[in-house]
């Protein structure tokens, strides 16, 4: 595999320039006004897949944004690795907090990335990460060291819930046969502490509307006499947690898989500094469910959070008004074996039941997703562990992440194919935030690690 690693070294600069081209396209899936940019980005991805050595590529349109597919089949008898990633990105807002424009990539040094990091929306989540796979594939392919078949499935709707990818899986089960799904869309603990993500949380995402009087009212004439939907909504929301930060929705914890004390002890070995954590976020104290550590709260426990709340007058100056309506977006992160549909239904029932007679409430469910757990005794995990150890000179630690990639559970359900998550981002890379970045070290280290995975995986498949 020497030639592959040499190839990666030699093409370093081009791989960076090519990534910059992708990062310049504002492929924001959530905002319909960027639809043509998303489509343009899909075409660019297809172009790079072709360039890298895919013998067949295709853009599959959906009722949302397109899915880019590419493959190189060298021998039907050999294993097949399916690479999944997403070329869509989150909106850049709040735009004024970016030090450099979000879609004009630039390299800057940081404390954590002394060798420099690529600053741009999508640099870490997920353009920089899926593009490492395109480059690693090119290096193996052009060096005649590709040990197996490869299929790429790069979607454009991950950040909006992968709404149309499920149907695509259903309709393309034959096209998508393979032995493992390889994903780089998560993180690791630190650049000197490699880790492999072995779990993701699921998600239930709700929107609530509370209606009081049939129109906005003068708060002097009516205040104190009719329910103010914002006041009511606030007290309803605050009742969703008790004083121990337990969620009060009846039945919410029924399906939660409790973790053995041994496993918790094992997890607690992962390096984590609460002081660094507080300092990085500029908070004086952490907050969360009683009886669990911050690491546990962020991974093995379910949560409920308000993502946005609005209503009434929020413009300049003051306006005295009792609004007719108040709204909130509320998400719940789920853990094995919680089911997003059950949880959404429990939320709806509970939220309706706690509404006072003075208001009407409407609850709707947005996208959701199942939690994921990947075993650490699989050959894919062994191959990934070997690959990290080879590239980082350190054995990676298994860790569960708090984030969600809803489609992953469906890979197994619909395609019957397991997933291995080899992420190279850091929590401090500010994904979804202003000034998102991805370390150059991480970008190149990822490309170096991936071919080791391929070779070890193929070797272990033969046994
Ligand atoms: N790549 C992230 C998920 C992630 C990041 C997992 C870091 C683990 C570590 C993904 O793009 C994402 O942002 N997912 C969303 C869910 C989606 C339905 C919008 C999330 O977790 O909020
Ligand atoms: Mn992502
Ligand atoms: Mn994301």
């Amino acid at each position: 595999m020497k030639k592959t690693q040499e190839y990666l070294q030699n093409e370093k600069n081009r791989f960076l320039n090519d990534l910059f081209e992708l990062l310049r396209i504002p492929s924001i899936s959530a905002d319909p006004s960027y639809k043509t940019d998303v489509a343009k980005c899909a075409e660019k991805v297809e172009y790079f897949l072709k360039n890298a050595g895919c013998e067949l590529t295709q853009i599959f349109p959906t009722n949302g944004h397109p899915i880019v597919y590419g493959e190189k089949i060298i021998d039907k008898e050999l294993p097949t690795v399916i690479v999944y990633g997403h070329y869509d990105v989150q909106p850049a807002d709040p735009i004024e907090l970016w030090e450099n424009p979000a879609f004009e990539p630039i390299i800057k040094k940081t404390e954590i990335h002394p060798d420099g990091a690529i600053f741009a929306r999508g640099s870490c989540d997920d353009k920089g990460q899926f593009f490492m796979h395109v480059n690693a594939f090119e290096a193996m392919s052009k060096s005649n060291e590709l040990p197996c078949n490869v299929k790429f499935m790069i979607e454009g709707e991950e950040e909006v819930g992968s709404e149309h990818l499920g149907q695509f899986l259903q309709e393309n089960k034959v096209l998508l046969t393979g032995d493992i799904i390889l994903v780089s869309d998560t993180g690791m603990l630190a650049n000197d502490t490699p880790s492999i993500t072995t779990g993701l949380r699921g998600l239930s995402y709700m929107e609530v509307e509370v209606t009081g009087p049939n129109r906005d009212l003068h708060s002097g004439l009516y205040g104190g006499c009719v329910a103010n939907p914002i006041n009511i909504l606030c007290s309803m929301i605050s009742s969703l947690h008790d004083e121990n930060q337990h969620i009060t929705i009846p039945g919410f914890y029924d399906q939660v898989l409790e973790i053995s004390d041994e496993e918790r002890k094992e997890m607690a070995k992962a390096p984590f500094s609460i002081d660094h954590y507080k300092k990085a976020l500029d908070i004086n104290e952490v907050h969360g469910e009683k009886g669990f550590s911050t690491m546990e709260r962020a991974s093995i426990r379910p949560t409920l959070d308000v993502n946005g709340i609005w209503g009434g007058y929020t413009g300049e100056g003051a306006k005295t008004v009792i609004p007719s309506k108040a709204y909130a977006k509320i998400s719940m992160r789920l853990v094995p074996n919680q089911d997003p549909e059950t949880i959404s239904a429990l939320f709806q029932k509970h939220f309706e039941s706690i509404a006072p007679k003075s208001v009407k409430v409407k609850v709707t469910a947005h996208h959701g997703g199942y939690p994921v757990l990947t075993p650490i005794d699989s050959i894919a995990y062994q191959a990934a562990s070997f690959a990290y150890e080879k590239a980082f000179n350190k054995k990676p630690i298994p860790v569960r992440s708090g984030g969600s990639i809803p489609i992953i559970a469906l890979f197994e359900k619909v395609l019957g194919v397991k997933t291995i998550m080899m992420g190279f981002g850091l929590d401090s890379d500010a994904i979804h935030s202003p000034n998102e970045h991805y370390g150059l070290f991480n970008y190149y280290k990822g490309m170096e690690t991936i071919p080791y995975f391929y070779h070890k995986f193929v070797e272990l498949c033969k046994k």
Side-chain angles (χ1 to χ4, degrees), residues 207-213 227-234 236-237 310-311 323-328 351 355-356 358-363:
E207 186 160 334
V208 299
E209 178 190 291
V210 178
T211 305
N228 178 328
I230 300 182
N231 294 14
I232 301 282
L233 176 58
C234 288
M236 288 171 77
I237 286 172
W310 69 103
S324 166
K325 285 178 187 291
Y327 306 84
F351 206 76
S358 52
V359 297
K360 300 180 195 77
V361 303
K362 201 167 105 191
V363 180

Side-chain angles (χ1 to χ4, degrees), residues 341-401:
E341 267 153 43
T342 308
I343 295 294
S344 298
L346 288 177
F347 176 93
Q348 171 154 17
K349 194 169 154 224
H350 178 66
F351 206 76
E352 286 167 356
S353 80
I354 60 173
K357 247 200 178 130
S358 52
V359 297
K360 300 180 195 77
V361 303
K362 201 167 105 191
V363 180
T364 44
H366 286 277
H367 53 70
Y370 286 83
V372 177
L373 264 190
T374 62
I376 60 168
D377 56 3
S378 66
I379 59 170
Y381 187 90
Q382 284 170 42
S385 181
F386 169 86
Y388 278 85
E389 192 166 354
K390 198 90 179 126
F392 289 80
N393 286 315
K394 226 182 200 179
K395 200 180 162 84
I397 313 171
V399 265
R400 285 218 224 163
S401 170

Side-chain angles (χ1 to χ4, degrees), residues 65-279:
H65 300 299
I67 297 155
V68 188
Y69 178 81
E71 64 172 38
K72 178 164 170 140
I73 307 296
I74 55 171
D75 179 349
K76 288 227 155 70
E77 301 301 311
L78 284 170
T80 299
V81 171
I82 304 176
V83 175
Y84 163 81
H86 63 94
Y87 67 85
D88 65 320
V89 300
Q90 287 277 328
D93 351 16
I95 221 143
E96 65 282 5
L97 294 184
W98 284 78
E99 284 172 19
N100 294 90
F103 297 103
E104 294 173 26
I106 181 172
I107 309 279
K108 289 196 291 185
K109 291 188 162 85
T110 72
E111 211 174 298
I112 291 178
H113 297 292
D115 299 336
I118 309 156
F119 280 76
R121 170 59 84 231
S123 55
C124 177
D125 185 13
D126 177 44
K127 287 173 176 170
Q129 292 216 65
F130 89 72
F131 205 59
M132 299 179 313
H133 288 271
V134 180
N135 298 335
F137 162 71
E138 175 182 326
M140 289 185 280
S141 192
K142 302 269 154 96
S143 319
N144 286 317
E145 290 181 338
L146 184 66
C148 61
N149 306 312
V150 185
K151 295 174 176 177
F152 285 92
M153 169 171 48
I154 312 296
E155 70 151 318
E157 293 191 301
E158 196 279 338
E159 298 293 7
V160 287
S162 302
E163 215 193 309
H164 299 96
L165 190 59
Q167 195 187 340
F168 177 78
L169 301 183
Q170 291 285 356
E171 289 169 357
N172 292 281
K173 285 188 197 166
V174 177
L175 182 70
L176 300 171
T177 49
D179 298 276
I180 191 71
I181 294 178
L182 177 54
V183 181
S184 290
D185 191 22
T186 55
M188 54 179 199
L189 288 172
N191 283 355
D192 59 1
T193 318
S195 59
I196 297 176
T197 305
T198 54
L200 292 171
R201 286 195 285 195
L203 189 66
S204 273
Y205 202 109
M206 315 298 290
E207 186 160 334
V208 299
E209 178 190 291
V210 178
T211 305
N214 59 4
R215 59 190 164 90
D216 287 7
L217 301 173
H218 188 291
S219 64
L221 299 182
Y222 291 95
C225 307
V226 294
N228 178 328
I230 300 182
N231 294 14
I232 301 282
L233 176 58
C234 288
S235 65
M236 288 171 77
I237 286 172
S238 62
S239 78
L240 296 176
H241 289 96
D242 69 14
E243 68 282 7
N244 292 325
Q245 296 307 317
H246 272 90
I247 294 154
T248 56
I249 299 168
F252 184 83
Y253 291 96
D254 285 0
Q255 262 68 50
V256 170
L257 191 77
E258 298 290 340
I259 302 214
S260 71
D261 287 346
E262 281 103 80
E263 206 177 330
R264 284 177 74 182
K265 252 190 223 146
E266 204 50 44
M267 280 178 174
K269 285 186 187 155
F272 175 76
S273 155
I274 196 84
D275 290 331
H276 285 160
Y277 187 85
K278 288 197 273 194
K279 203 170 152 222

Side-chain angles (χ1 to χ4, degrees), residues 216 230 309-319 321 323:
D216 287 7
I230 300 182
I309 182 162
W310 69 103
Y313 183 70
T314 56
E316 288 282 318
K319 181 188 181 200
V321 64

